[in-house]
Amino acid sequence: MATTTASSFISSVILQPIIVAISSAVYSSLLSYEMVGKLDWRPIAICATSDVLVIAADHLKDQEVVTGTRGAAVIKRFTPLARIFLALNASLLAAALSLSPPQATFFTAAFTAPAFLWTTPLDLSRAGAVLKRFIGVNYSREVNKDNKPFVIKRVPGMKAFFSGTIRSCGVFFVVHSALQPSLTSTHNALPWTIAETLVWSMVNRTGHCIMSDVRDYDEDKEAGVPTIPVLLDSLLKTRMILTVVHAAVLTAFRHNPFIVASSCFAIALVWILGKDTPKPYFRLSLHSQSIFIVTAKRF
C-alpha cells in the first residue's frame, strides 16, 4: 500500500463515505415519497449514516496498513478526526432509530451486519462447537485448527449480490419499517411504483458494484478475489451481460422516462468506463440512479 498522505486519508475515510451515503439518502428519499407522499428525515438519516459508518470504519481499518513513518504519522494525526466523524454519525443514527419503530433497528442491524463482517475471518468450526455446548450436545471432538476461516468476501459473486440486495431491499425495509405508522394505501406517486423502483435499484446497484470490479479486475484476479469479472475471465462478457440486464429493465419499465434515462446512462457507462479509467469517473456509475431521481423531483 502506498504511503498515506493527509489528502488520501481524508478522501478515503471521510469524503468517499459521504459520497456513497448521498446515493442512499437520495434513494431512501424517493421511497419515502412513494410510501407517504413526503420526505421523512428519519429513514433518510438511518440509511445515510449507516453507509458512512460501515464504509468509514472499513477504510479506517485499511489505513492502518501503511509503509513508512510518514504514513503512520498522518494516521496518528488524523485518526481522532475520523473518530469524531464516526461518533457524530453514530449519534445521528441513534437519534433517528430512537424516534422510529423497533422494526427499523432490527432491519438496520440485519442489513449492515454483512457489511461490517465483509472481510472479517469467521471461524465457523469454533462457532459450531460453542453452539453445540450451548444446546447441551456432547461435543468432545477437538476443533481442527487447520481449517481456514470463512470470509464472506471470498464467496464467489457474493459482493455483487450483497451490494444489490442491501442497497435496494435493505433500504426499502428500513424506510418501510420507519414509516410504518404513517403508511396509507391511497397515495399515488406515478410514474413511480415501489416494485419497479426496487427492481431498478437492485439492478442498478448490482451493476455499479460489478463496474467497480471491472475497475479492479487486474488486482482482484491477482489476489484471487472471486468477483463476477474474474469468474467470467472476460471484461467483454461482463459488459455484455450488464448491457442485457440494463436493457431488460429499460424495456420492462419504458413507461417511466426517468428509469429509461438512467438505464441508458448506465449502459453507456458500462462501455465507457474500464480498468484504466481514473477512479473518480466511477462516481458517475455510483450516481447513475441518484442523478435521475433528483431530476424527477424537479418536475
Side-chain angles (χ1 to χ4, degrees):
M1 178 180 288
T3 301
T4 300
T5 63
S7 59
S8 66
F9 183 91
I10 293 175
S11 174
S12 176
V13 179
I14 297 178
L15 295 182
Q16 289 183 27
I18 291 176
I19 291 171
V20 175
I22 289 173
S23 67
S24 292
V26 172
Y27 174 53
S28 58
S29 68
L30 173 62
L31 289 175
S32 177
Y33 169 73
E34 290 180 349
M35 292 179 188
V36 297
K38 62 181 181 180
L39 301 184
D40 189 304
W41 73 272
R42 294 171 301 160
I44 298 172
I46 291 170
C47 295
T49 54
S50 295
D51 258 350
V52 168
L53 289 172
V54 168
I55 298 171
D58 181 60
H59 288 189
L60 181 61
K61 183 179 178 181
D62 290 341
Q63 291 295 326
E64 296 175 355
V65 185
V66 297
T67 57
T69 56
R70 181 185 175 189
V74 168
I75 290 178
K76 184 177 181 180
R77 178 183 176 187
F78 285 96
T79 293
L81 175 63
R83 289 175 177 170
I84 292 173
F85 176 65
L86 289 171
L88 290 174
N89 278 275
S91 299
L92 180 56
L93 173 61
L97 289 173
S98 67
L99 296 174
S100 302
Q103 295 92 327
T105 301
F106 170 78
F107 284 116
T108 300
F111 284 101
T112 55
F116 278 114
L117 299 174
W118 182 245
T119 58
T120 303
L122 304 174
D123 194 336
L124 299 183
S125 61
R126 292 185 181 277
V130 172
L131 179 61
K132 288 188 176 183
R133 290 194 184 99
F134 178 76
I135 63 178
V137 175
N138 184 18
Y139 190 83
S140 59
R141 183 173 60 87
E142 291 293 329
V143 175
N144 185 1
K145 297 182 179 180
D146 295 330
N147 288 340
K148 292 184 178 180
F150 173 77
V151 180
I152 300 176
K153 181 179 179 180
R154 295 290 175 178
V155 178
M158 191 57 68
K159 179 181 177 182
F161 172 77
F162 267 133
S163 180
T165 302
I166 292 173
R167 295 191 178 282
S168 57
C169 299
V171 173
F172 165 78
F173 281 113
V174 169
V175 175
H176 185 273
S177 59
L179 299 179
Q180 199 167 21
S182 305
L183 293 178
T184 64
S185 58
T186 58
H187 178 63
N188 191 336
L190 293 176
W192 301 99
T193 66
I194 293 176
E196 292 178 359
T197 303
L198 276 174
V199 174
W200 170 47
S201 181
M202 176 171 283
V203 170
N204 185 277
R205 297 299 82 196
T206 303
H208 166 66
C209 181
I210 295 175
M211 285 305 299
S212 299
D213 293 335
V214 167
R215 178 194 65 203
D216 301 331
Y217 177 73
D218 290 336
E219 296 176 9
D220 290 338
K221 189 172 184 178
E222 183 178 351
V225 180
T227 61
I228 299 297
V230 172
L231 292 172
L232 293 174
D233 197 26
S234 171
L235 295 182
L236 177 60
K237 291 180 181 178
T238 302
R239 288 189 169 102
M240 291 177 66
I241 292 174
L242 287 175
T243 300
V244 170
V245 175
H246 283 304
V249 171
L250 183 158
T251 304
F253 307 140
R254 57 186 178 275
H255 58 275
N256 188 321
F258 304 105
I259 294 181
V260 170
S262 171
S263 299
C264 289
F265 185 56
I267 290 173
L269 292 176
V270 164
W271 295 97
I272 293 172
L273 302 177
K275 60 181 182 179
D276 297 322
T277 305
K279 284 188 176 183
Y281 289 99
F282 280 85
R283 290 171 187 167
L284 292 171
S285 175
L286 170 65
H287 291 290
S288 60
Q289 182 182 46
S290 310
I291 293 171
F292 296 93
I293 293 176
V294 173
T295 302
K297 289 180 179 179
R298 299 187 62 180
F299 286 90

